[in-house]
Amino acid sequence: MSLPNCPKCQSAYTYEDGALLVCPECAHEWQEDEAETQSLSLIKDANGNVLNDGDSVTVIKDLKIKGSSSVVKVGTKVKSIRLVPDASDGHDIDCKIDGIGQIKLKSEFVKKA
Ligand SMILES: [Zn+2]
């Protein structure tokens, strides 16, 4: 049975230490269980609530939109979000905002409505 690679640095030299898995290269320690693996891919709002496709959220700070003069104001309600679990730039919510259009948001700047 082989151990999973380190989720932080992808090192293959992980080893077991009791209930924990340990990475000798970056010193990351984690628990190998289903729940942990799953929570890694969950997208959470600013309060730590898990977000789902189709949820409505509220923006919690003014967000300047890159490449335009528009600002998404704090308190803006966003309906029917779509999650982007593998967003490499951290913008893990795809949504449409009235008056602005299709944009991407970071889950850390919203809370579940
Ligand atoms: Zn590592």
Side-chain angles (χ1 to χ4, degrees):
M1 191 186 126
S2 69
L3 296 170
N5 288 358
C6 172
K8 264 197 161 169
C9 71
Q10 301 307 320
S11 164
Y13 302 107
T14 52
Y15 61 90
E16 276 177 299
D17 183 10
L20 291 176
L21 291 171
V22 182
C23 170
E25 296 197 53
C26 73
H28 183 53
E29 295 181 355
W30 72 103
Q31 219 159 0
E32 190 199 10
D33 62 31
E34 207 65 25
E36 187 75 10
T37 315
Q38 210 160 28
S39 78
L40 282 175
S41 60
L42 289 176
I43 295 178
K44 295 177 184 166
D45 71 3
N47 297 327
N49 294 315
V50 175
L51 298 170
N52 297 298
D53 278 340
D55 275 353
S56 295
V57 298
T58 307
V59 176
I60 58 163
K61 68 174 261 187
D62 285 352
L63 300 172
K64 221 177 148 348
I65 298 171
K66 234 180 169 175
S68 92
S69 58
S70 305
V71 174
V72 181
K73 291 269 184 216
V74 58
T76 300
K77 263 201 151 190
V78 185
K79 283 184 207 157
S80 301
I81 60 167
R82 196 173 66 79
L83 301 177
V84 188
D86 298 317
S88 53
D89 60 356
H91 290 78
D92 44 15
I93 295 175
D94 206 358
C95 61
K96 203 171 171 186
I97 297 180
D98 289 342
I100 290 174
Q102 197 82 26
I103 68 161
K104 290 200 163 97
L105 297 173
K106 292 187 181 181
S107 54
E108 62 197 275
F109 298 136
V110 304
K111 65 173 196 229
K112 212 164 174 166

